[in-house]
Amino acid sequence: MSLAQQGNILGPILFFLLYHIPYYFVRYYGGMIGYKIGSSYISEAQESGLLKSVTKGCIILGLMMIGAMTFINVPFKVNVTAVFAKQKFVLQDVLDQILPGLLPLGLVWLCIYLLKNKKVSVTKLLVGIILLSVVLGGLGIAGK
């Protein structure tokens, strides 16, 4: 990268040689090997228990992604403040000290629970979330 940024012609040439040529060899031969031993490997992996371990790892990765995406994309903050013994108490600060993003994560898990176990329809869930956000926002309890 630094060679290419400096305008040196060696930058793109090295990139091509070090990345693209090995990439195409691995892609071609990997595809051929996968085609030849693919189905037999899957049945061997299932018999040995390797497939179960890979599936469990994928489930863990998926749950981590749900948590990360929830933290980034679901803004839910509580605007509850009080004064106790001349000290200002902010509920959101306390929740963030316990676990940042605890409320959005709890909201997502509640939605997953309602969808999966209680068989609540997606439409009812969306309408409920909208009504809850309007009520909590109108009362000044929740908001960004």
Side-chain angles (χ1 to χ4, degrees):
M1 283 295 239
S2 63
L3 290 174
Q5 286 177 339
Q6 294 172 1
N8 192 339
I9 191 67
L10 199 56
I13 293 171
L14 281 176
F15 175 72
F16 179 75
L17 291 175
L18 295 175
Y19 176 76
H20 283 289
I21 292 174
Y23 166 76
Y24 285 111
F25 278 112
V26 169
R27 183 176 171 192
Y28 175 75
Y29 288 112
M32 296 303 289
I33 291 170
Y35 182 74
K36 288 179 185 173
I37 65 168
S39 61
S40 63
Y41 181 75
I42 293 294
S43 41
E44 287 177 20
Q46 189 172 8
E47 290 171 3
S48 70
L50 177 65
L51 196 59
K52 190 177 279 189
S53 298
V54 170
T55 304
K56 188 174 182 178
C58 290
I59 289 170
I60 291 170
L61 179 65
L63 290 173
M64 288 180 1
M65 290 305 300
I66 287 175
M69 288 177 58
T70 300
F71 181 74
I72 293 170
N73 295 320
V74 181
F76 184 63
K77 304 230 184 258
V78 178
N79 295 331
V80 176
T81 59
V83 177
F84 295 115
K86 298 181 183 177
Q87 291 279 40
K88 187 175 180 183
F89 174 78
V90 181
L91 181 60
Q92 186 64 45
D93 291 343
V94 173
L95 292 174
D96 285 342
Q97 288 176 356
I98 295 171
L99 178 69
L102 180 65
L103 288 177
L105 185 62
L107 183 64
V108 169
W109 282 113
L110 176 66
C111 292
I112 290 172
Y113 171 77
L114 291 174
L115 285 170
K116 189 174 181 182
N117 295 338
K118 298 298 182 180
K119 306 293 187 224
V120 176
S121 70
V122 174
T123 307
K124 289 180 183 176
L125 191 62
L126 287 174
V127 169
I129 289 172
I130 291 170
L131 288 176
L132 183 68
S133 62
V134 167
V135 168
L136 291 177
L139 293 174
I141 296 173
K144 200 169 181 183

